[in-house]
Amino acid sequence: MSQTESRGGSTSPEADESDPPAPITVMLSSRLMVLANLLKRGAILRYKRLTGLSSVEFGLVASLGRRPPMSVARLAEAVGQDKGQISRALANLLSRKLIAKSANPKDSREVLVSLTAAGLAAHDAIVEGAQERNQRLLAHLSEAEFEMLFQHVDRLTAIAAEMLEIEKNTR
């Protein structure tokens, strides 16, 4: 391994091309996480540029979509985040007039959230951007490769879900 000099004059180890990669970096799960993180970071930058929304906010707008109003609890479950974080993001969306809140007619204690016309416009920009990103990502695959990739991803997703359940139940 070689050493490089930092600005402070001290040396730090630098990876030599002949060094073998760390074992975890060659695992499929690690490679998929790198891919997912790159895609997420690109999406966050794109949707911030297109809509001015933070990652949590664009997740909420995308989840609300063109659906009937949703409760805050259901929305938190849909995006996989806690209600506190969701509530702060919803307050920002409400102040920007991207969402509307109303009482549930079946249970007045429950608040329902829906997109306003401006929120629907942001949603449509997100969907259009996602479609463009998806097309660019998959443009170099043949139809057969595309089908095979999705079959493999679906199978691996099912296995990963099983593994998660096992971990949840193992104490």
Side-chain angles (χ1 to χ4, degrees):
M1 200 158 343
S2 64
Q3 302 270 327
T4 56
E5 192 169 313
S6 68
R7 289 184 194 160
S10 63
T11 58
S12 61
E14 182 181 288
D16 186 333
E17 296 211 7
S18 64
D19 290 341
I24 200 160
T25 63
V26 296
M27 293 181 183
L28 177 62
S29 59
S30 181
R31 289 175 181 215
L32 290 174
M33 284 189 267
V34 168
L35 173 61
N37 286 332
L38 288 169
L39 290 170
K40 181 178 180 178
R41 288 170 51 202
I44 289 168
L45 291 173
R46 173 171 242 177
Y47 304 137
K48 181 75 170 172
R49 178 175 50 80
L50 292 175
T51 64
L53 300 175
S54 72
S55 63
V56 174
E57 291 167 344
F58 86 69
L60 293 173
V61 169
S63 292
L64 285 166
R66 296 185 171 276
R67 300 180 185 171
M70 296 172 75
S71 70
V72 175
R74 173 127 165 58
L75 190 54
E77 183 182 302
V79 297
Q81 302 202 352
D82 67 74
K83 284 194 238 179
Q85 191 173 23
I86 298 299
S87 293
R88 287 186 295 279
L90 288 174
N92 289 337
L93 293 172
L94 186 64
S95 71
R96 294 170 61 191
K97 297 182 174 39
L98 296 174
I99 63 162
K101 288 184 174 183
S102 60
N104 184 342
K106 296 177 184 172
D107 181 355
S108 61
R109 297 169 296 172
E110 185 176 61
V111 174
L112 298 178
V113 181
S114 59
L115 294 178
T116 62
L120 286 169
H123 171 266
D124 293 347
I126 290 168
V127 170
E128 184 178 326
Q131 289 171 337
E132 289 172 10
R133 288 171 46 79
N134 192 60
Q135 288 172 345
R136 183 162 181 206
L137 184 65
L138 300 174
H140 302 285
L141 298 178
S142 70
E143 187 66 33
E145 290 170 325
F146 172 82
E147 291 299 325
M148 185 176 290
L149 174 63
F150 272 59
Q151 289 172 6
H152 289 308
V153 168
D154 289 347
R155 190 168 355 145
L156 292 171
T157 300
I159 294 167
E162 290 173 10
M163 292 167 58
L164 175 60
E165 287 306 312
I166 290 168
E167 289 299 325
K168 284 180 179 178
N169 296 321
T170 303
R171 302 244 183 243

